[in-house]
Structures are given as structure tokens and as C-alpha cells.
Amino acid sequence: MAIPKYFEFFAPVMECLLDEKEHSTKDIRNHCVSYYSITEEELQERLTSGQYKYSNRIAWAEIY
């Protein structure tokens, strides 16, 4: 499975925030990784900027 697009992370980000408690970016990222069962290999994929692809997409989902 390819890493989901940023807009596909909307649901797991919102699901993580449903309890109305504060969550760190790391907590949200871990929830999204578990939600989509992202593999270790996929976690290592990087953008040309050097940033991890999954992390970048989750960050955009958090912003939107």
C-alpha cells in the first residue's frame, strides 16, 4: 500500500482528537501510522527535501 495522500489522513487525525484532550504531534503521527498499518519500509520513504513522506502528509492534514 502506498502512503495515503494528506487528505486521507483527515479521518485518523480527527479520530485521535475526538477525546478533546491535548495530543502531541508524535501521538497523532503514531495514531495515523497504526490506523493505516504503514510498514517500516514506507516509514523510511523520503521526499526530495529529506523529510519523511508520511510525516509531511500528516502535518498537512493537521494544518487543514
Side-chain angles (χ1 to χ4, degrees):
M1 172 181 141
I3 296 173
K5 304 292 185 198
Y6 78 92
F7 57 84
E8 294 173 312
F9 281 111
F10 290 167
V13 167
M14 294 304 293
E15 181 181 279
C16 185
L17 300 174
L18 276 175
D19 62 8
E20 298 181 12
K21 295 179 183 173
E22 288 188 30
H23 295 278
S24 68
T25 302
K26 184 177 180 180
D27 292 339
I28 296 169
R29 214 177 14 231
N30 289 339
H31 179 75
C32 291
V33 168
S34 295
Y35 184 91
Y36 282 113
S37 301
I38 298 174
T39 67
E40 236 356 270
E41 183 178 311
E42 291 168 330
L43 291 175
Q44 298 306 313
E45 290 182 35
R46 293 184 181 256
L47 300 171
T48 54
S49 66
Q51 187 178 18
Y52 288 109
K53 187 184 279 189
Y54 81 96
S55 183
N56 175 273
R57 291 184 179 177
I58 294 169
W60 279 109
E62 291 170 334
I63 289 169
Y64 284 107

